[in-house]
Amino acid sequence: MLVLRSGLTRALAARTLAPQVCSSFATGPRQYDGTLYEFRTYYLKPSKMNEFLENTKKNIHLRTAHSELVGYWSVEFGGRMNKVFHIWKYDNFAHRTEVRKALAKDKEWQEQYLIPNLALIDKQESEITYLVPWCKPEKPPKEGIYELATFQMKPGGPALWGDPFKRAVHAHINRGYTKLVGVFHAEYGVLNRVHVLWWNESADSRAAGRHQSHEDPRVVAAGKLFH
């Protein structure tokens, strides 16, 4: 189940520096480390969804031979239907460039997977993200359902909304009904966007847990940060 920055600037410092507002949410440490995560979303033709999934299941090993796949999901409900979503991990931008070049030369990948599937896809989207510093990717304990919650934050960056948002995320975790897979802050794509990927044992346990967590004042306060 899935529910559904770009630009570089340079400024000259004044002789007298104003106090800086910092946040543990800022992705700076992750950017220095270099590791990035690419979110790829494919919107499929309704009559071709099963064909696409079967081909992916059969041939995805040709793609994972080049770089690490964090996860691959299809939408059951919430948001647009006939959509698949996958996350790829790269050491840095140079690594991603090397992988894309290698894929372009991989005839087996091109002929068995890419070319047959292109005719099944209506639209593709790509977004580059970093994990927030206080989050490490976690593997769920067993099979279940996943929720990708996407938040469009108010302009101002993590210094404005980072800490309250972190408290809200942990309010859900502390309830014990869900597991956090990762929190990703967009670097290239829509500005001020944050993705939170959750794992739940079932849709019913998720519904019950969220009903309780939304009564938590930390979650209520974080709601003021979104558009």
Side-chain angles (χ1 to χ4, degrees), residues 17-167:
L17 296 178
Q20 293 184 332
V21 179
C22 300
S23 169
S24 60
F25 196 92
T27 53
R30 294 294 188 185
Q31 292 168 311
Y32 302 145
D33 172 67
T35 302
L36 58 92
Y37 297 83
E38 181 177 12
F39 281 46
R40 296 183 71 90
T41 304
Y42 298 164
Y43 301 88
L44 304 169
K45 297 177 181 178
S47 62
K48 301 297 183 179
M49 183 71 171
N50 290 336
E51 182 179 349
F52 180 91
L53 293 176
E54 285 297 324
N55 192 7
T56 298
K57 182 178 180 180
K58 180 180 178 181
N59 292 305
I60 193 64
H61 67 281
L62 300 174
R63 176 61 182 83
T64 56
H66 292 275
S67 64
E68 181 180 344
L69 174 65
V70 176
Y72 207 113
W73 299 269
S74 60
V75 175
E76 178 65 23
F77 52 84
R80 179 170 170 172
M81 305 300 293
N82 302 300
K83 179 171 68 175
V84 296
F85 170 80
H86 34 125
I87 305 175
W88 298 89
K89 180 181 178 181
Y90 298 99
D91 297 336
N92 46 46
F93 285 101
H95 179 211
R96 181 184 182 278
T97 298
E98 292 173 1
V99 170
R100 302 305 298 180
K101 287 181 178 180
L103 286 169
K105 297 177 181 178
D106 188 333
K107 291 185 178 180
E108 190 176 15
W109 161 254
Q110 296 277 336
E111 294 174 0
Q112 295 188 29
Y113 185 85
L114 183 60
I115 294 174
N117 277 350
L118 282 178
L120 314 180
I121 300 173
D122 265 341
K123 180 182 177 181
Q124 294 175 295
E125 293 180 353
S126 174
E127 187 173 21
I128 300 298
T129 73
Y130 290 104
L131 275 172
V132 299
W134 46 270
C135 174
K136 294 181 179 181
E138 297 289 345
K139 292 185 178 180
K142 57 183 178 180
E143 290 189 8
I145 64 167
Y146 293 81
E147 177 183 10
L148 179 66
T150 298
F151 301 90
Q152 189 61 43
M153 314 303 288
K154 290 184 177 180
L160 173 66
W161 43 256
D163 291 329
F165 189 82
K166 178 182 177 181
R167 289 193 292 270

Side-chain angles (χ1 to χ4, degrees), residues 73 87 146-148 179-182 184 195-199:
W73 299 269
I87 305 175
Y146 293 81
E147 177 183 10
L148 179 66
K179 298 290 184 182
L180 179 66
V181 179
F184 305 85
H195 302 288
V196 184
L197 184 59
W198 300 97
W199 171 90

